[in-house]
């Protein structure tokens, strides 16, 4: 299937990277412990979050909701958006068109 998008993938990835970076405990997606995360430098953290965003984007083509840390990333194909949420709060909407 895949996530359909009309915007440049690089732009979507940048926004999604920022959004997943704000999700509490997002690094646990890669089974990292907090100590490992804290030990990383800023550049390495950004690389991990970019890899997470990339994995999530392509994973959403197979399943519409992916748990990340204490949040969830949801693909709404009818509305052409990816929604990032924590608890009952939507923290980010990323347009795909």
């Amino acid at each position: 299937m895949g996530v359909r998008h009309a915007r440049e993938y690089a732009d979507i990835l940048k926004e999604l990277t920022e959004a997943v970076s704000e999700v509490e405990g997002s690094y646990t997606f890669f089974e990292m412990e907090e100590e490992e995360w804290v030990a990383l430098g800023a550049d390495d953290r950004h690389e991990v979050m970019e890899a997470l965003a990339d994995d999530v984007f392509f994973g959403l083509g197979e399943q519409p909701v992916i748990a990340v840390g204490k949040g969830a990333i949801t693909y709404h194909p009818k509305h052409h958006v990816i929604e990032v949420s924590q608890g009952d709060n939507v923290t980010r909407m990323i347009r795909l068109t």
Side-chain angles (χ1 to χ4, degrees), residues 9-25:
Y9 177 71
D11 295 337
I12 294 169
L13 182 62
K14 182 179 182 218
E15 279 188 56
L16 189 54
T17 298
E18 292 170 3
V20 297
S21 296
E22 296 170 358
V23 174
E24 187 178 342

Side-chain angles (χ1 to χ4, degrees), residues 39-54:
L40 293 177
D43 289 343
D44 290 334
R45 284 184 186 188
H46 179 76
E47 280 187 36
V48 169
M49 288 297 110
E50 189 173 68
L52 172 58
D54 187 61

Side-chain angles (χ1 to χ4, degrees), residues 11-23 72-74 76 81-86 89-95:
D11 295 337
I12 294 169
L13 182 62
K14 182 179 182 218
E15 279 188 56
L16 189 54
T17 298
E18 292 170 3
V20 297
S21 296
E22 296 170 358
V23 174
I73 316 299
T74 307
H76 296 284
V81 297
I82 294 174
E83 175 185 282
V84 180
S85 60
Q86 290 190 75
N89 299 319
V90 173
T91 57
R92 203 61 102 59
M93 297 288 281
I94 299 164
R95 294 180 305 100

